[in-house]
Amino acid sequence: MTERTSSPAAADGLRIRPLGDIDITPISSIDEKISGRYRPEVWERQIGYYLRRDPEGSVVAELSGEVVGFMLGEVRSGEFGLEEPTGWIEVLGVDPAHRGKAIGRLMAEALLGHFRELGAHSVRTLVDEGAEELRAFFSSLGFEPSSLRPFVKTL
Amino acid sequence: MTTRTTSLPKSFHDAVVKWREAFLPDYEFLLDNWDKHFPNDPQFELCAYRQLGMCTEIECGELKGKPKYVRAAEMVPEQAHHLLGAIRAQASTEFGSIQQHRLTLARAQDEGEQFWILRMMAEELRHGYQMLHLLAEDDWSSVSKDSSSEMIEEILSMTTGSHVLGAFNIDFDSFVDNVVFCALIDRVGKYQLTMQRQSAYQPMAESMPQMLREEAFHLAAGVVPMRRWVTSAARDEGFITMDMLQRAINKWMPRGLEMFGDERGGGTNVRFGLKPMKNAEAQRLYREEVEKVVRDLNLRYLRARLPELSLAEAPRVLDRLLAGEVTDGVRPEDLLRLPCSGFLRRRGVGAFLMVGTGGEPYDDLSDYLHHLAGALPEAYRVGRDFKDYVDALGQVRRGELTAEAAAAQMPALRRVGGACPCSKSVRWVVDAEAAPSTAGA
């Protein structure tokens, strides 16, 4: 994946680059700003996983050298009966102080480009029914509701 | 994105497998437990990857815009000579790091961390294999009197003490070294690979993307355990203290800086289109990145030590501590600090100057050695690398040796391999009918 700089709609100086080990603290901080929870061990585990799997399958957005957003994902095959390579966007976050700057869109475009390079013809994600903002975000990117529905049973 | 997978000719491939059996004996154990620690990850494969569809025009230097070279013979001799030196050095580092890691791998206290390092070792083997592939696939006779076979044999016969770069001639003392090495020295590798991704020599550039992907995990194999260790240290749990980590950082950081080459050099590589940055520029970016790593470790430590600290407060408290203030029972010396660039240098600007971790100059050798005793791991100070350094430093101080001459003799070459039949070097395994004529016993 090549690095991308901002489009006219985005903030000046925005840079999208692949995930790295140095992003653990800033991603943990963005999560804390959004969720109010400090849980670095979760991000150490998660980022270790994504770096191991495909470091270019996850991106961060940098503005003036500061990480202001992240999007983690990968291409997998054979899950839920989906044999073909499928891109999955699994976790994303944008610093609340930097929302409205098309950061999420730019990260998604970078990620989708990478998924295409890896041979994926579709990309999937799961969004909670109540997460209106997230639904609107994915809809604006062209995502549509899928017939594949999640089922859960409490144990 | 298309990747081509290739193997070395059988005799060379078998030689690498033989090397692996000698220096990476846990390889089969790794594969047997792969699914337990890395579920759903593709199984490791010893092969060379070449990414296709990359830029075919020279990306930097005097020949920017011209077609990249696909054969060494297309390059002017000086250019090919520099390239060959880079390939041999890169190959040496890959094999060298495995020899270092194996010494202390078994001392890991956490199985997960141990398997991360073991996987990293296997991937370093593949990186070495990738470099040997470059040597084997091209004809280097225009710039080397040695055949590809001889060059490969030389690399596979190197051991700790005879590798090209200093960082790979230092024995590990504990599993702390395995981890700190990944965080600091593999990070230099990331910079070198990133620069070589733009190499004017197309096979080199095409070799880099997969190596870079794997290197990203190697850095995590260093940073993630370090983050866990500083958390445990803050809670007075575990056996690894901040002081132990600090000493390991002091041990490795000077070697990391020197891996970029002399700060005054690197212009030739840029001019020839082999790298986009001179040594000093790449070294500066590297140091800035390590500063971030250390700051993040300190923040992690601080928030584990003072759980009531908020996200906004933590950086402010850290800055006060770094400025020398004692805060909420945390002392400035409880934190990690990056030694200054002049500390413990034996190459480049400031080689064999007596500079302390904080940048303070020393005039008296015994005072400086006393400072080093407080800054470096004890196990390292009783080893041969430190002894060589102190001997050379003493000669420089007494005027018996110039700093340049002392730099040139480090690391001391102690090749145990070679042509001698009783050597411990890895020899070619000759069981292929069409083995190269250079294959030995």
Side-chain angles (χ1 to χ4, degrees), chain B residues 132-394:
Chain B
L132 299 190
H133 172 71
L134 294 180
L135 294 177
E137 199 179 52
D138 207 342
D139 173 11
W140 300 94
S141 59
S142 63
V143 286
S144 175
K145 59 179 175 24
D146 296 331
S147 66
S148 292
S149 304
E150 287 165 339
M151 287 190 284
I152 291 172
E153 181 176 15
E154 183 200 17
I155 289 163
L156 291 179
S157 69
M158 290 176 179
T159 56
T160 310
S162 67
H163 283 287
V164 176
L165 298 176
F168 300 86
N169 291 319
I170 300 173
D171 288 334
F172 284 9
D173 307 318
S174 75
F175 191 69
V176 173
D177 275 337
N178 295 71
V179 164
V180 174
F181 188 94
C182 284
L184 298 187
I185 302 301
D186 279 59
R187 195 172 305 278
V188 181
K190 180 187 84 168
Y191 275 83
Q192 299 290 6
L193 301 181
T194 301
M195 289 191 284
Q196 286 166 180
R197 198 179 195 278
Q198 293 188 28
S199 176
Y201 182 59
Q202 190 77 15
M204 182 73 146
E206 290 175 352
S207 295
M208 294 300 115
Q210 181 63 23
M211 290 172 72
L212 273 165
R213 282 179 208 117
E214 290 164 352
E215 206 67 36
F217 170 65
H218 302 176
L219 300 186
V223 165
V224 171
M226 283 180 85
R227 290 175 62 95
R228 290 173 181 154
W229 291 349
V230 299
T231 306
S232 297
R235 295 172 181 154
D236 274 334
E237 298 167 355
F239 299 97
I240 296 159
T241 63
M242 292 296 270
D243 182 60
M244 289 164 73
L245 288 172
Q246 180 64 68
R247 287 171 188 260
I249 289 170
N250 292 343
K251 173 181 173 180
W252 292 110
M253 189 63 191
R255 304 289 77 78
L257 292 173
E258 288 170 356
M259 283 173 68
F260 287 92
D262 192 301
E263 287 89 340
R264 294 157 293 199
T268 308
N269 276 325
V270 174
R271 191 157 49 85
F272 285 151
L274 299 174
K275 288 181 183 177
M277 278 189 275
K278 290 184 182 177
N279 298 346
E281 186 187 357
Q283 190 196 63
R284 179 181 58 77
L285 292 173
Y286 165 74
R287 187 178 166 89
E288 286 173 6
E289 189 169 307
V290 180
E291 281 170 355
K292 270 188 195 172
V293 170
V294 171
R295 185 173 174 83
D296 286 350
L297 289 167
N298 281 330
L299 282 169
R300 184 82 164 95
Y301 172 83
L302 207 52
R303 294 195 71 181
R305 181 95 180 256
L306 305 172
E308 67 281 5
L309 272 188
S310 70
L311 173 64
E313 287 167 334
R316 290 198 287 269
V317 172
L318 176 60
D319 289 337
R320 289 210 301 274
L321 280 159
L322 291 173
E325 199 178 300
V326 174
T327 305
D328 296 323
V330 184
R331 301 167 305 161
E333 56 268 34
D334 293 337
L335 300 175
L336 299 175
R337 288 172 196 260
L338 205 55
C340 86
S341 294
F343 174 69
L344 205 64
R345 292 291 300 275
R346 51 199 197 190
R347 285 182 184 277
V349 174
F352 293 100
L353 293 180
M354 297 193 294
V355 178
T357 52
E360 67 282 13
Y362 284 81
D363 294 324
D364 184 83
L365 180 59
S366 61
D367 287 349
Y368 189 54
L369 294 180
H370 182 72
H371 173 74
L372 295 181
L376 295 167
E378 186 180 356
Y380 171 64
R381 286 187 292 109
V382 299
R384 62 181 180 178
D385 185 77
F386 186 71
K387 180 185 175 299
D388 286 351
Y389 167 75
V390 172
D391 286 349
L393 180 63

Side-chain angles (χ1 to χ4, degrees), chain A residues 53 74-88 118-120, chain B residues 40:
Chain A
R53 295 281 296 179
E74 63 174 322
V75 171
R76 294 197 296 266
S77 304
E79 291 192 335
F80 310 113
L82 305 168
E83 288 306 320
E84 72 281 6
T86 304
W88 287 87
L118 291 180
Chain B
N40 303 320

